[in-house]
Amino acid sequence: MILKEYFLTNIHNMKNKIVLTLLFCFTFGLCSAQEKVTTANEKKIYAERVKTAFKKGWRAYMDYAKGMDAVNPIAKKGHNWYSETLLMTPVDAFSTMHVMGLKKEMAEAKALIFSKLNFDKDMEIQQFEIAIRIMGGLLSAYQLDGDKRFLSLAEDLGKRMLPVFESRTGMPYRLVNLRTGKVSGVTTNPCEIGSMLLEYGMLSKLTNNPTYYEKCKKGVVAVYDRRGKTDLVGTEINVETGEWLNKSAHISGRIDAYYEYLLKGWLLFGDQDLKNMWDVSKVGITKYLGDQTPNGFWYGYADMDSGKRTATIFGALDCFYGAVLCLDKDMETAKKLQTSIYKMWTLKGLEPEAIDYSTMQIKAPYYMIRPEAIEATYYLWHNTKDEQYYQQGKTMFEAIEKYCQVDNGYVQIKDVNTMEKWDTLESFFFAETMKYCYLFFAPDKAFNLDKCVLNTEAHPFFRTWK
Ligand code: DMJ
């Protein structure tokens, strides 16, 4: 009798367990299916919202600054970088328009570029910025769109900038006159020496003329050969004497994309020298700049010879390194850094330009709608598919919508403590920030990051040399 009761009770419990298990599986299955549906819908909605933001910024440019370099939406006017326009915004914006499939805007940009862009100007320009934004934009536009006029313009520009490499050391001068070829700017930095290698390399490949790549690479090797005992480079160097004028090593502005292009140059061109230079540099970066603190993991400043820590500053520009770590398949470090990047971004609700990570005090309070933090977050999302990075991307886009949007466009922020507006909009808003925001939500067929290498201005370069 006791045995029978025991048996019946257990059968009963087992039945309950089976029913509960079935119920659990059913509910869980439904929930996750439901969640996927919501996510797919949500992605569609967000993709449209990012496109709308891009188009709103572009309309501001077309309405108030058409044909100029950039727009000031609040004042309803535009401005140029130099005495005449180089059509910075349309050229920089084109690759994002293509990725987003914005046909009307592409036609508008093309009409402007092909009717107005002309480099025969008696004007001294900053070689690095023009190479990454304009030459990079034109080369990428050519590969995406196929119109040969993009390539002709890029080649004309490349020829006009070539004189910068005629220094005693091979390191490029900072400035060049587009008409006369007269160079100036003896004092420069590793970023402005090395961060055009992708652009000149693409030009070489696409025009079948190795000169551009060879000259640019010579400059990169020259600065690398002058690295400190830490294997790191400093902040300022004289291109004629090869002497360092500022030995501060870091991954921030004036150095940043020099490191980025060592790795990306290897990925795009398969140049083993660049891979070796990257591997050596990365050891130095990790050992002397990497800083594990109670506030998280960061990269600070150190002397390029002694390796002694000189500052605990990290900023918006430094965030590019998260994407580079992903490309280097160093996901663990990328994740650690991302925790800090997101902490910095959410400190005030919008990213400050720089903080002191030892105190978490803001050192430069403005926000130029820079892309690097969003870029790092996107690379992590793309590589890990860990939902938290997708959520972080959403938060960042929402913050731009909330704080940088004005009635007729988008503007930068003077101070993230007060969110006071700064009436200007850099062209990288179109080239980079909006592109990375979009990629979080874009349909798979829109773009495949693994099929190309993005230049430092987020223009896709493909390994097809036609
Ligand atoms: C862009 O022009 C490029 O990303 C460059 O490498 C660094 N600065 C801006 C964006 O912040």
Side-chain angles (χ1 to χ4, degrees), residues 81 92 128-129 132-133 191 195 253 256-258 260-261 316-317 320 353 368-372 375 426-429 431-433 436 455-458:
W81 278 33
D92 231 4
F128 156 73
E129 289 288 358
I132 63 164
R133 298 191 198 209
C191 179
S195 313
D256 47 7
Y258 158 77
E260 177 183 345
Y261 272 26
L317 285 166
F320 83 98
E353 178 72 2
M368 295 174 72
I369 327 192
R370 287 200 191 277
E372 288 81 358
E375 172 186 358
E426 280 278 350
S427 64
F428 53 69
F429 169 83
E432 300 189 71
T433 313
Y436 290 119
N455 86 336
T456 193
E457 194 75 3

Side-chain angles (χ1 to χ4, degrees), residues 362-424:
I362 293 178
K363 289 291 164 190
Y366 56 91
Y367 178 54
M368 295 174 72
I369 327 192
R370 287 200 191 277
E372 288 81 358
I374 305 171
E375 172 186 358
T377 313
Y378 171 68
Y379 271 81
L380 262 175
W381 160 240
H382 175 76
N383 280 283
T384 64
K385 290 290 169 234
D386 181 337
E387 185 79 11
Q388 66 169 309
Y389 303 123
Y390 170 82
Q391 295 302 338
Q392 290 180 2
K394 257 168 59 181
T395 304
M396 290 168 170
F397 172 66
E398 292 290 9
I400 293 171
E401 286 288 87
K402 182 168 175 194
Y403 298 116
C404 304
Q405 191 172 184
V406 289
D407 285 347
N408 52 358
Y410 289 80
V411 294
Q412 299 172 184
I413 297 294
K414 275 189 192 155
D415 187 334
V416 296
N417 293 295
T418 61
M419 299 299 174
E420 187 190 345
K421 307 271 188 290
W422 176 9
D423 184 19
T424 190

Side-chain angles (χ1 to χ4, degrees), residues 187-203:
T187 302
T188 190
N189 52 71
C191 179
E192 295 191 52
I193 292 170
S195 313
M196 308 81 59
L197 191 58
L198 261 58
E199 292 74 16
Y200 285 96
M202 286 303 291
L203 188 59

Side-chain angles (χ1 to χ4, degrees), residues 1-13:
M1 177 67 189
I2 290 174
L3 206 64
K4 192 178 162 196
E5 252 177 36
Y6 174 83
F7 184 73
L8 284 175
T9 316
N10 273 301
I11 284 282
H12 185 69
N13 281 345

Side-chain angles (χ1 to χ4, degrees), residues 331-350:
M331 302 313 296
E332 285 324 300
T333 316
K335 285 178 193 169
K336 269 200 302 181
L337 181 61
Q338 182 62 23
T339 307
S340 305
I341 289 175
Y342 194 62
K343 195 188 244 185
M344 178 171 80
W345 179 284
T346 47
L347 211 53
K348 294 288 172 183
L350 201 57

